[in-house]
Structures are given as structure tokens and as C-alpha cells.
Amino acid sequence: MVATGGANITEFIHNAYHYAEGLTRFESRIPVLPEAADGLKQVAQDRLHWLDSMFGPGPYLCGDRFTVADIWLYVWLDFGAAVNQPFDRSLPNIGPWFERIAARPSAELSRKLLAA
């Protein structure tokens, strides 16, 4: 259940970006609702709090296994932070989880490639 919770968060980050920070990029190509952006951002934060409460004892979303669910949620939370949609890093489970994923060599390499 926790693994699929990420999609319940990232969809709202994605749509809020279209309707707010990315509005000028998307308004001529897709229907956008700027008035919905704040609500979508709040839903993403609410669901992230829910996911934090569901987080199990393992270091990853699926317990002891690092999976695509970890990659997916990490990428979207990192993107959100870059486009003025930061998450509460003081969440007791998601905050440390994010830092663990960010410390992985693949995440470090990805950030270097994007910065180049």
C-alpha cells in the first residue's frame, strides 16, 4: 500500500506545476486551471503526511527493498522542491527517507548530470 501511495502524491505535484509554476509553458498546449494550483499543492502535502504515517520500519517505501517506488517519489519530491513546491522535511519518516535516497551514488550522479 505504501508503494502505491507515491502516485497519489506525485500526480498532484505534477498538475499543480502545470497550473502554477509551469503555467506559461503549458497554457497554450493543455487545459489549465490556475485557480486549482493551491488546492492541488495542499492535497499533495496532505497525502505526503498520510504516507509518512504509513511508513514501515524499513529504510525504504517497501521495507528493506529499494524499488522504483522510492525512485519515483524521490524524483518528484526533488522536482517539487526545485519548482517552489517543497515538502516538510521535518516529517519523521519521509524526511530521513529523502535524505537516504539523496545520498545514494545514483542520485548524486543524476544531480551532477542535470547541473552540467
Side-chain angles (χ1 to χ4, degrees):
M1 176 169 48
V2 172
T4 59
N8 249 342
I9 297 163
T10 62
E11 172 186 1
F12 293 95
I13 295 170
H14 173 259
N15 287 331
Y17 174 73
H18 283 171
Y19 299 170
E21 294 83 8
L23 182 64
T24 57
R25 174 181 279 176
F26 293 102
E27 65 186 341
S28 65
R29 299 189 282 164
I30 63 171
V32 294
L33 298 167
E35 63 275 12
D38 288 340
L40 292 167
K41 291 176 184 182
Q42 186 59 54
V43 170
Q45 295 303 312
D46 291 347
R47 291 186 177 182
L48 195 55
H49 279 81
W50 167 83
L51 184 63
D52 189 76
S53 74
M54 299 298 292
F55 209 100
Y60 303 114
L61 294 175
C62 293
D64 290 329
R65 293 180 345 177
F66 178 71
T67 68
V68 70
D70 295 288
I71 296 166
W72 183 259
L73 185 58
Y74 171 78
V75 167
W76 277 101
L77 292 181
D78 190 52
F79 172 79
V83 296
N84 200 31
Q85 292 188 52
F87 71 96
D88 181 358
R89 294 193 184 215
S90 70
L91 289 170
N93 296 302
I94 297 295
W97 165 86
F98 185 86
E99 295 306 320
R100 279 192 299 278
I101 304 302
R104 292 178 65 88
S106 56
E108 288 184 37
L109 180 58
S110 177
R111 287 190 302 276
K112 286 180 185 176
L113 290 172
L114 289 172

